[in-house]
Amino acid sequence: MISSFLHSPSWSCRQICPDICDSALTLNLSGQIVKKIIDDEAGRIALFMFAANSLLFVPGTRPERFAKAKASGAGLTVIDLEDSVPPEDKHGARAAALVHIAENVEGWGLRINALATAAGVRDLTALLDAATLPPVLLLPMVEAAAEAELVAKLFGDRCPLLVPLVETPRGLRQAQAIAVAPRVGAIMFGGGDFAAELGVEMAWEPLLGARQALLLAAAEARVAAIDVPFVGLDDPDGLAAECGRAQALGFAAKAAIHPSQVPVIEQAFRPSAAQIAEAEAALAAFDAAGGRAVRHEGRMLEKPIIMKYRALLARSKGQIDA
């Protein structure tokens, strides 16, 4: 079934998720997943938006670390079944992750193995049989929109928010198509694998062009872009500098590989008090105008700008309320 779907024509959102395509404009600002409508007068579709500032990965082989990772304050804590788990430990890590998520669903994400691998197929099968799914599902090594479309079709109404990782030049060429696939709320830059493909250091300058291309794809699809983790665990100044660069470039969040990195990332990406006040005032003016375009403090407030303000307020919360 997986093979045949990957070679079938693209599925539209209405074919897979008609429930969200016909929804009214409602945004839940209490957590990291918010529903948005993109310019429904132009016939665009409803999507889901990722609104956390930071992600912290924890190996699925270390369930004793799950609670400590969650206590770090990251917007999303991601149990990893891929890179940090050796082949012989995949089964145990998968079982531990699903048990933990079933007992503590709020605020958790899960990174499965690539769909083109046996481990990825086993992950997907186990999730399809699970009574409780994580709110967010990260898909590594995505190189075609059909991969995200497959997951959305298989899970249907139960499908979590999807975050494909773009980690190869081939994936980057398809990034915009991947980003507009059903249930995709963000795309993440997989800089480690990308650097290996290019044969360069995992540093800012060699990967700047790839970051910019990913951001253009995310902007066109109107989804968040998440930056790769900073690998220098003993270099908080370097982390802060890279966070500043990524935030200035347009990334909405950054991943972490150690709890000590989370406060630095949150400080860089969490909206300021002034930005929050500006967004709240703009939304109040827009609502007072009956949801129509209105002049406010020298600029026109229209739907694209309002959507940006709503996303900013959601990000100011930082994480799902437990």
Side-chain angles (χ1 to χ4, degrees):
M1 180 178 181
I2 291 177
S3 177
S4 62
F5 183 88
L6 288 174
H7 292 89
S8 68
S10 295
W11 286 70
S12 71
C13 178
R14 290 188 180 278
Q15 287 173 302
I16 298 173
C17 307
D19 58 313
I20 65 170
C21 289
D22 294 321
S23 300
L25 177 57
T26 56
L27 295 175
N28 177 4
L29 301 184
S30 64
Q32 114 224 26
I33 302 172
V34 292
K35 186 181 291 185
K36 67 174 182 176
I37 303 294
I38 295 180
D39 196 6
D40 47 2
E41 284 85 356
R44 300 297 294 279
I45 60 174
L47 302 173
F48 283 78
M49 183 184 297
F50 181 90
N53 304 307
S54 60
L55 300 79
L56 176 62
F57 286 89
V58 57
T61 51
R62 304 302 297 270
E64 73 278 6
R65 294 185 182 177
F66 292 172
K68 182 179 179 180
K70 186 67 162 59
S72 72
L76 183 71
T77 309
V78 180
I79 301 176
D80 183 35
L81 303 182
E82 193 212 10
D83 284 345
S84 65
V85 180
E88 63 272 17
D89 293 334
K90 297 287 188 187
H91 176 76
R94 183 185 306 116
L98 292 179
V99 168
H100 186 81
I101 289 168
E103 297 173 351
N104 311 271
V105 66
E106 295 296 338
W108 290 93
L110 181 69
R111 179 167 70 173
I112 63 173
N113 290 276
L115 296 180
T117 67
V121 173
R122 294 187 184 103
D123 291 340
L124 204 55
T125 301
L127 283 166
L128 287 168
D129 291 337
T132 303
L133 298 176
V136 182
L137 190 62
L138 282 77
L139 309 176
M141 301 299 289
V142 175
E143 294 188 327
E147 296 175 58
E149 291 167 356
L150 168 63
V151 176
K153 181 176 186 295
L154 290 175
F155 285 101
D157 292 346
R158 299 179 68 221
C159 189
L161 177 144
L162 302 179
V163 179
L165 277 75
V166 175
E167 306 182 71
T168 65
R170 179 178 296 177
L172 186 60
R173 288 198 303 272
Q174 300 298 320
Q176 197 276 336
I178 293 168
V180 297
R183 299 284 178 163
V184 169
I187 52 176
M188 180 172 167
F189 180 47
D193 286 286
F194 206 100
E197 291 256 353
L198 294 180
V200 300
E201 293 294 323
M202 189 178 164
W204 184 262
E205 289 78 9
L207 299 177
L208 178 57
R211 277 184 164 101
Q212 291 173 320
L214 184 83
L215 284 163
L216 287 173
E220 185 175 354
R222 299 185 185 179
V223 299
I226 305 167
D227 196 29
V228 64
F230 182 75
V231 296
L233 295 180
D234 299 320
D235 185 9
D237 292 338
L239 171 61
E242 185 164 290
C243 285
R245 290 172 175 172
Q247 195 275 338
L249 204 60
F251 283 98
K254 190 171 179 65
I257 53 176
H258 192 275
S260 65
Q261 296 180 323
V262 171
V264 178
I265 296 172
E266 284 289 326
Q267 183 176 359
F269 285 91
R270 187 182 294 275
S272 67
Q275 289 173 317
I276 293 170
E278 177 187 335
E280 290 174 340
L283 289 174
F286 187 74
D287 291 341
R292 301 182 184 88
V294 62
R295 182 183 176 92
H296 173 72
E297 296 186 355
R299 66 186 303 190
M300 289 300 296
L301 297 179
E302 298 177 304
K303 281 191 176 181
I305 296 173
I306 291 301
M307 287 168 56
K308 180 180 178 181
Y309 280 135
R310 291 188 190 277
L312 184 146
L313 289 181
R315 285 177 44 232
S316 74
K317 305 293 182 179
Q319 64 187 84
I320 288 179
D321 293 333

